[in-house]
């Protein structure tokens, strides 16, 4: 079990909850003889930077090869409010370069397309989600987001004016690589929308943060 903070790299992690071993939700076995993958879930608190985390997450390839259940089935009643916040807090226009990291089946990109935005790009590691988004007509990079994939986007496309990642950051295996990717890809003055679960106990679990 690692004892290094995944954000700041310090070793002063305070153990909070040991949930034991768990299988991956929504990953179903193909037959009764197949062995199910399980991983230890231990939640810790970094006393240096304050990040709540599982310091030893499961390997990404165990999670994100196939999703089995895509985003379009989820009820997202806060989306109109989120779009209103974007219009209020940013200066992006219909020609701004927009990237959604973890775009899944393109459901959120569809909202932008319906709003008249022209330059939309998705990034998604899961094969079934990629295929679904592409069938909807979206340009999708099939990759994890890191410095290398960011540089590939720069070679073939453009710098990003609006960077979106919704309910992805908490699943990122290497936060440092994610940060390097953002630094490489964002244009000067770019906006960033990060939507993450709220660790505070209350009704209403989603907390959207818009940073310019």
């Amino acid at each position: 079990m690692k004892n290094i903070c995944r954000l700041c790299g310090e070793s002063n992690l305070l153990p909070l909850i040991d949930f034991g071993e768990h299988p991956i939700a929504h990953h179903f076995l193909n037959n009764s003889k197949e062995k199910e993958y399980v991983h230890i879930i231990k939640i810790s608190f970094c006393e240096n930077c304050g990040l709540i985390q599982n310091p030893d997450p499961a390997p990404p390839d165990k999670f994100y090869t196939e999703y089995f259940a895509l985003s379009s089935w989820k009820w997202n009643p806060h989306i109109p409010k989120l779009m209103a916040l974007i219009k209020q807090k940013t200066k992006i226009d219909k020609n701004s370069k927009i990237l959604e990291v973890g775009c899944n089946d393109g459901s959120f990109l569809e909202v932008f397309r319906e709003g008249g935005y022209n330059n939309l790009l998705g990034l998604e590691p899961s094969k079934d989600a990629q295929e679904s988004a592409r069938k909807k007509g979206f340009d999708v990079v099939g990759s994890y987001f890191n410095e290398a994939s960011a540089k590939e986007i720069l070679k073939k496309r453009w710098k990003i004016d609006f960077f979106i990642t919704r309910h992805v950051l908490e699943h990122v295996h290497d936060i440092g690589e994610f940060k390097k990717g953002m630094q490489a890809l964002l244009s000067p003055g770019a906006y960033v929308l990060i939507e993450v679960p709220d660790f505070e106990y209350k009704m209403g679990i989603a907390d959207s943060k818009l940073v310019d």
Side-chain angles (χ1 to χ4, degrees):
M1 184 70 179
K2 297 178 182 178
N3 196 43
I4 304 294
C5 177
R6 293 165 57 199
L7 180 61
C8 70
E10 295 295 324
S11 57
N12 51 341
L13 292 182
L14 177 67
L16 296 180
I17 308 172
D18 184 347
F19 290 103
E21 292 186 337
H22 285 267
I24 298 173
H26 303 301
H27 280 217
F28 304 112
L29 301 182
N30 294 313
N31 58 71
S32 61
K33 295 181 180 180
E34 185 179 346
K35 187 176 181 181
E36 188 165 48
Y37 174 81
V38 295
H39 193 81
I40 294 175
I41 305 297
K42 291 186 177 181
I43 305 302
S44 299
F45 170 75
C46 179
E47 296 182 290
N48 182 61
C49 71
L51 181 67
I52 304 292
Q53 62 193 282
N54 178 5
D56 187 19
D61 60 357
K62 297 293 185 182
F63 275 99
Y64 308 115
T65 303
E66 300 282 347
Y67 283 149
F68 300 98
L70 301 178
S71 287
S72 54
W73 71 270
K74 298 177 183 177
W75 185 46
N76 286 283
H78 69 295
I79 292 300
K81 181 179 178 181
L82 185 57
M83 293 303 294
L85 180 66
I86 290 169
K87 291 178 180 179
Q88 177 187 351
K89 297 291 186 179
T90 77
K91 296 179 181 178
I92 65 168
D93 58 35
K94 307 303 181 183
N95 295 314
S96 296
K97 312 301 191 297
I98 299 173
L99 168 68
E100 183 181 11
V101 170
C103 69
N104 204 278
D105 62 3
S107 297
F108 194 51
L109 290 177
E110 281 188 291
V111 178
F112 281 90
R113 185 166 62 187
E114 290 167 1
Y117 294 90
N118 301 311
N119 297 309
L120 303 174
L121 176 64
L123 182 142
E124 174 57 55
S126 175
K127 294 178 181 178
D128 53 352
Q130 290 172 32
E131 182 180 355
S132 180
R134 287 176 181 139
K135 285 181 178 178
K136 295 176 181 178
F138 292 112
D139 183 9
V140 179
V141 178
S143 174
Y144 293 101
F145 185 73
N146 49 38
E147 187 175 21
S149 62
K151 289 181 177 179
E152 279 298 310
I153 291 173
L154 285 175
K155 285 181 184 178
K156 299 178 181 179
R157 297 173 179 85
W158 9 257
K159 283 256 186 182
I160 298 301
D161 302 316
F162 189 25
F163 181 97
I164 302 167
T165 187
R166 303 175 57 241
H167 296 279
V168 169
L169 195 62
E170 65 270 25
H171 301 295
V172 171
H173 196 267
D174 190 329
I175 299 174
E177 270 293 308
F178 197 92
K179 175 185 175 183
K180 290 177 183 177
M182 292 179 67
Q183 289 173 326
L185 193 56
L186 298 184
S187 63
Y191 296 92
V192 174
L193 169 63
I194 299 175
E195 187 173 343
V196 293
D198 191 342
F199 195 75
E200 182 181 353
Y201 178 75
K202 62 182 180 181
M203 301 300 290
I205 60 172
D207 181 22
S208 301
K209 300 185 184 298
L210 188 62
V211 181
D212 63 22

